[in-house]
Amino acid sequence: MKQREVFPDILRTAATCAVVLLHTVTGVMDHTDMLEYPVQSRIFQALLDLSCWCVPVFVMISGYFFLDPKRELTFRLMLTKYCRRIALALLLFGVPFAWLELIMRERTFRIGMIGEGFLMVLRGQTWSHMWYLYLILFLYALTPFLKWVLEALPRWAVYLVLLALFL
């Protein structure tokens, strides 16, 4: 049995804390007139700048595990296991959020809102923090192709692509 690597867990924990900070700061800034608090506004902007690294780190952690050459990964597995989980999260959270938004906007409930909520999620018109689920769904669907490309390319070409992406 392979020994568990600790550094992804440490990165995941730090990134989770950064996400909480990011959402807390943006939640306050979205509901407060920060023009009245210029010092606090600068502090909040600094905190935002210092916590925005969290999303790319989550994506890199996923890539680290899914693109591992020793890991067996098929398109079918990605669709039936991982993409299904994300779709379920969009269904369980995105659709009720869309319903709430429709109800609050129109200040009433109509039976047609049920279908509209599903359509909003399919179009990506749900709450702004749900964008990450759409990104992950796309990346999960793309992962088997990326894995195939990485296996087909010579190692030097992979490093060249990484250098170009870094620059």
Side-chain angles (χ1 to χ4, degrees):
M1 187 161 155
K2 186 178 165 185
Q3 186 176 350
R4 185 177 181 97
E5 295 176 279
V6 177
F7 81 91
D9 291 333
I10 293 169
L11 278 176
R12 191 178 298 128
T13 302
T16 302
C17 292
V19 165
V20 171
L21 179 65
L22 184 75
H23 282 278
T24 302
V25 169
T26 56
V28 170
M29 291 179 73
D30 289 347
H31 295 91
T32 304
D33 182 11
M34 296 306 289
L35 293 174
E36 297 177 25
Y37 309 99
V39 174
Q40 289 85 346
S41 178
R42 276 183 260 152
I43 292 170
F44 277 25
Q45 288 297 330
L47 288 171
L48 282 176
D49 291 343
L50 291 172
S51 61
C52 284
W53 57 269
C54 57
V55 172
V57 166
F58 277 123
V59 171
M60 286 187 273
I61 291 170
S62 295
Y64 176 77
F65 287 117
F66 285 127
L67 298 176
D68 183 359
K70 293 175 238 130
R71 184 173 184 157
E72 182 74 25
L73 194 67
T74 63
F75 185 69
R76 179 184 167 109
L77 177 67
M78 287 306 284
L79 279 181
T80 58
K81 185 175 181 181
Y82 299 103
C83 289
R84 188 177 67 163
R85 287 179 185 172
I86 302 301
L88 184 62
L90 283 168
L91 183 70
L92 291 177
F93 295 101
V95 172
F97 286 161
W99 291 336
L100 287 172
E101 192 152 322
L102 288 169
I103 291 168
M104 294 305 292
R105 186 176 352 153
E106 297 183 21
R107 303 216 186 277
T108 188
F109 174 77
R110 294 179 290 103
I111 196 73
M113 287 180 175
I114 295 171
E116 286 178 51
F118 284 98
L119 284 174
M120 286 173 68
V121 169
L122 289 175
R123 285 184 250 145
Q125 296 173 329
T126 187
W127 287 11
S128 62
H129 63 278
M130 302 288 281
W131 71 269
Y132 184 75
L133 292 176
Y134 294 100
L135 171 71
I136 289 296
L137 186 64
F138 172 73
L139 290 175
Y140 280 178
L142 192 63
T143 296
F145 173 73
L146 289 174
K147 191 166 176 66
W148 175 79
V149 167
L150 287 172
E151 289 171 356
L153 284 176
R155 182 69 60 196
W156 64 266
V158 172
Y159 289 130
L160 191 64
V161 169
L162 288 174
L163 177 66
L165 288 172
F166 177 75
L167 293 175

